[in-house]
Amino acid sequence: MPREIPESRSNKAGLLLLLALTFPLALMTMPESWYSRMDSMQAYREDASAQGRINAWWTAWYVALDHPLVGGGANMFNRQTYALYAPNPQNVLDVHSIYFEALGEHGFVGLFIFLAIGIGALVTLNRVIRFAKSDAALGWMRDLASMIYVSLVGYATSGLFLGLSMFDYYYMLIAITVALAGLTRRYARDGVPAIDKPPGVPLGVTGNRRRAVGVVPAGRRFTLGVSKAANWFARL
């Protein structure tokens, strides 16, 4: 009898194959300006923008060394601070990194708290996703947690070169994560409450979005595909 391939392994293989096929296509469709920008990375010492960011990062580092507990305070990246701490006091630019922004404004303690919030949220969302898989009625919770997980990974990645450590939308996602964690604890303790639904309507489908059992619209299939990709990244 032929050996059955586990579904999770086949999903991973399919995702890797999709990435391998789409990556060359993405490179071929990139505009010439993108390639010019990438070529400038090899000569970053001659790039004014790159030098300005490095100068700002060193400024944040020196401020944190001088004030390791509280940092330089909010909006510290100004001409006065650069005149005291920057390697090049004349090159005053935004810090362009959520991590160096947190380090400079709040010190090493603030950076640790900032990282702990982000990492803790990812760990919590991973637990919520695993819990929600155990009950079909919690499909909404699994999808929501998966989308927030992808959003936080995107924020953490793009934040390497973007100074938005106090971005309000990020902390809204953190607040929703805390709420999901509370619901997870409640459902684990008291059980998942029954959901009233009309006969013949699948769980999670209410109002005008009723559809035949077993029929998944294209929009829903796309959401499920993204959710599976998020679950795969969460298990890495």
Side-chain angles (χ1 to χ4, degrees):
M1 178 180 294
R3 184 177 180 181
E4 184 177 352
I5 301 177
E7 182 180 358
S8 60
R9 185 179 300 176
S10 62
N11 289 339
K12 290 182 180 180
L15 181 59
L16 291 175
L17 179 61
L18 178 63
L19 291 175
L21 294 176
T22 56
F23 185 71
L25 180 62
L27 290 179
M28 289 187 293
T29 57
M30 286 295 180
E32 187 64 30
S33 57
W34 183 83
Y35 285 99
S36 300
R37 187 62 177 172
M38 294 300 103
D39 290 339
S40 67
M41 295 175 62
Q42 300 178 4
Y44 69 92
R45 290 185 176 86
E46 302 173 4
D47 189 299
S49 177
Q51 286 301 302
R53 297 185 184 198
I54 295 174
N55 187 60
W57 296 347
W58 278 115
T59 302
W61 175 258
Y62 290 138
V63 170
L65 290 179
D66 205 13
H67 306 280
L69 297 181
V70 296
N75 301 320
M76 56 142 275
F77 294 95
N78 50 49
R79 293 190 178 277
Q80 292 78 9
T81 304
Y82 276 71
L84 293 173
Y85 295 98
N88 182 2
Q90 305 302 321
N91 195 358
V92 180
L93 293 176
D94 184 71
V95 64
H96 284 292
S97 173
I98 58 176
Y99 305 106
F100 282 100
E101 184 178 15
L103 176 64
E105 293 186 348
H106 307 291
F108 290 101
V109 175
L111 176 62
F112 175 80
I113 295 174
F114 180 74
L115 294 175
I117 291 174
I119 296 173
L122 292 176
V123 172
T124 299
L125 289 169
N126 196 20
R127 293 174 178 171
V128 172
I129 293 171
R130 291 202 305 267
F131 175 80
K133 287 181 178 180
S134 62
D135 196 311
L138 297 180
W140 67 269
M141 177 182 282
R142 180 199 63 220
D143 292 344
L144 178 58
S146 299
M147 295 302 101
I148 295 177
Y149 190 99
V150 172
S151 299
L152 295 187
V153 171
Y155 174 76
T157 304
S158 61
L160 288 168
F161 302 102
L162 192 63
L164 286 173
S165 63
M166 293 294 118
F167 188 34
D168 51 355
Y169 182 65
Y170 168 70
Y171 293 98
M172 292 178 187
L173 295 180
I174 296 297
I176 297 174
T177 299
V178 174
L180 287 175
L183 281 176
T184 299
R185 288 192 296 269
R186 180 188 301 177
Y187 291 164
R189 182 184 68 245
D190 304 331
V192 179
I195 299 178
D196 296 331
K197 63 182 183 65
V201 178
L203 289 174
V205 180
T206 58
N208 296 327
R209 297 184 59 200
R210 299 172 185 175
R211 56 180 178 266
V213 177
V215 178
V216 183
R220 178 62 175 168
R221 289 198 296 270
F222 175 78
T223 303
L224 290 174
V226 176
S227 177
K228 287 183 178 180
N231 292 336
W232 181 74
F233 280 111
R235 291 194 296 268
L236 293 179

